[in-house]
Amino acid sequence: MEQNSPEGGSVSSKTDSGGEGGGGLFYLDIQPSPDQSGLDINGIKPEPLCDYGSGNGFFPYCSFTNGDTSPSESMTELDHLVQIISKSHLETCQYLREELQQMSWQNFLQDEVQSYQSKPREVMWQLCAVKITEAIQYVVEFAKRIDGFMDLCQNDQIVLLKAGSLEVVLVRMCRVFDSQHNTVYFDGKFAGPDVFRALGCDDLITSVFDFAKSLCSLHLMEDELALFSAFVLLSADRSWLQEKLQVEKLQQKTELALQHVLQKNHRGDTVMNKLRCKVAALRSLCSRHSEKLTAFRTVYPDVVRTHFPPLYKELFGADLEVTPQADD
Ligand code: HC3
């Protein structure tokens, strides 16, 4: 499960997309992936790519086959979308559930917890920034594999990723969250909120853990999680979008596919309504995250500038110059 740090950072295309929300990024690689059958993000090798066809237990209620391995002729457009997005999700989800289960949900020991707690604040921030950036790189790859995403203009791809990638990381968190013990898979073992005390933002950490617990309580299946992630990413109400209508169309299609899969899984409208509420919760968490980062950067500008992953700084606007205050 050990992965390379994304900090080695291959420089990607510089975009020149004008709009204030998405212009001039170096590290957000939105070039089409050369090989869609595998994933290699800045040297991060993926978890094993499985054959996600029928009969592997992942999509027990999906009807995109007729019981044999070839796609059904009567496959609807929505079923097709479900299939594509679910496959993309599973290929880019960073950790397979079976692998985590094999790890027997090993928690950090008390002395390990103490060792995280006694780290200097800036060291813990840097560690978390690296972990979040790694997770975001998988989300970027997921986005690139969503039908229609790469057809959006470059500005809008960047706007959607800047606004939505952390939200999807938080959605994905429920896959590696143990509700019973209130722990999340972090840095090789399962960590409770106390592991993050050195960050100095207990309120945010508690809210993030509460969010994961509440999302877990919906017991979403992988296909539902995949479509919800795509739905969050394709939010048409983000500021600075240039072709809002096109994003709106994609989001509507994804919403229909999500409703379709929820119906198929016999989940009814209740889950869909609960998921709609989660969208607002995600926005609030991410804006609180930005506030914490701004406060941290004010105190430790050099740590952010020299030790944080470039992609992290780019996505969260932490690469912008801090305006010097006038003396008088
Ligand atoms: C623990 C974590 C949130 C969850 C992140 C997860 C587990 C989400 C699912 C991904 O597949 C893998 C993953 C990677 C990083 C994990 C995050 C690291 C730190 C973050 C905490 C809630 C702390 C937030 C720290 C802050 C305020 C600096 O952003």
Side-chain angles (χ1 to χ4, degrees):
M1 302 284 269
E2 208 39 54
Q3 300 177 356
N4 298 332
S5 156
E7 267 193 301
S10 67
V11 177
S12 309
S13 68
K14 181 188 189 313
T15 65
D16 189 19
S17 50
E20 260 186 73
L25 299 186
F26 283 94
Y27 293 94
L28 181 59
D29 181 2
I30 51 164
Q31 293 303 303
S33 299
D35 175 7
Q36 296 277 298
S37 67
L39 177 65
D40 184 358
I41 304 164
N42 292 348
I44 296 176
K45 263 289 164 202
E47 274 61 31
L49 289 178
C50 304
D51 173 10
Y52 297 117
S54 65
N56 64 7
F58 269 114
F59 307 114
Y61 302 105
C62 267
S63 65
F64 52 81
T65 67
N66 264 345
D68 57 20
T69 47
S70 61
S72 156
E73 301 216 336
S74 62
M75 185 196 284
T76 65
E77 202 191 327
L78 286 182
D79 281 321
H80 180 71
L81 195 60
V82 172
Q83 183 188 1
I84 301 268
I85 293 182
S86 301
K87 181 172 183 285
S88 304
H89 164 78
L90 286 167
E91 286 172 349
T92 62
C93 66
Q94 196 169 3
Y95 305 116
L96 294 177
R97 280 193 186 182
E98 302 94 316
E99 283 180 312
L100 288 156
Q101 270 150 17
Q102 273 163 21
M103 294 187 53
S104 64
W105 305 90
Q106 208 183 355
N107 293 322
F108 282 115
L109 303 171
Q110 195 47 41
D111 57 336
E112 292 172 314
V113 173
Q114 269 160 11
S115 141
Y116 282 108
Q117 289 176 340
S118 55
K119 282 187 197 297
R121 188 170 172 217
E122 64 276 22
V123 172
M124 193 60 188
W125 265 82
Q126 191 209 346
L127 177 62
C128 287
V130 166
K131 297 291 175 197
I132 286 177
T133 308
E134 282 177 8
I136 284 177
Q137 285 176 304
Y138 285 91
V139 173
V140 173
E141 190 56 38
F142 169 64
K144 285 158 66 175
R145 295 174 187 210
I146 296 176
D147 250 12
F149 183 86
M150 295 304 277
D151 301 329
L152 296 172
C153 67
Q154 213 173 50
N155 175 81
D156 291 359
Q157 293 175 26
I158 293 169
V159 165
L160 294 178
L161 283 167
K162 278 186 91 165
S165 54
L166 182 58
E167 292 184 2
V168 175
V169 167
L170 295 179
V171 169
R172 286 178 164 202
M173 179 171 165
C174 77
R175 300 181 70 255
V176 291
F177 188 78
D178 177 359
S179 283
Q180 212 187 333
H181 299 102
N182 199 34
T183 53
V184 68
Y185 186 75
F186 169 80
D187 210 18
K189 284 192 188 175
F190 281 81
D194 49 345
V195 164
F196 301 96
R197 191 159 302 151
L199 291 170
C201 34
D202 286 355
D203 54 337
L204 176 62
I205 298 297
T206 303
S207 305
V208 167
F209 274 66
D210 288 349
F211 175 83
K213 192 168 195 167
S214 145
L215 193 57
C216 273
S217 74
L218 300 182
H219 300 290
L220 295 182
M221 296 171 64
E222 292 288 1
D223 50 1
E224 297 165 345
L225 211 47
L227 284 153
F228 181 55
S229 301
F231 176 76
V232 166
L233 216 45
L234 294 169
S235 295
D237 60 347
R238 305 290 192 194
S239 306
W240 308 111
L241 284 174
Q242 282 172 353
E243 294 166 359
K244 222 177 175 48
L245 211 67
Q246 223 177 315
V247 180
E248 228 159 60
K249 277 187 199 156
L250 280 181
Q251 195 186 21
Q252 276 164 9
K253 244 206 267 180
T254 313
E255 185 174 358
L256 283 178
L258 177 56
Q259 278 168 338
H260 174 72
V261 90
L262 286 170
Q263 263 166 20
K264 254 188 186 169
N265 296 352
H266 311 291
R267 316 280 255 119
D269 287 342
T270 345
V271 175
M272 189 65 216
N273 291 337
K274 287 185 177 161
L275 287 177
R276 278 187 232 279
C277 297
K278 299 289 171 227
V279 171
L282 282 168
R283 299 228 170 158
S284 152
L285 287 175
C286 290
S287 78
R288 284 169 65 194
H289 174 262
S290 292
E291 284 165 20
K292 298 286 181 197
L293 176 59
T294 305
F296 178 81
R297 194 170 64 112
T298 311
V299 182
Y300 300 96
D302 293 338
V303 173
V304 173
R305 194 167 45 78
T306 55
H307 293 298
F308 275 33
L311 175 61
Y312 179 97
K313 290 186 279 183
E314 212 166 64
L315 285 173
F316 302 121
D319 54 349
L320 306 171
E321 285 301 313
V322 182
T323 317
Q325 298 290 308
D327 286 338
D328 47 12

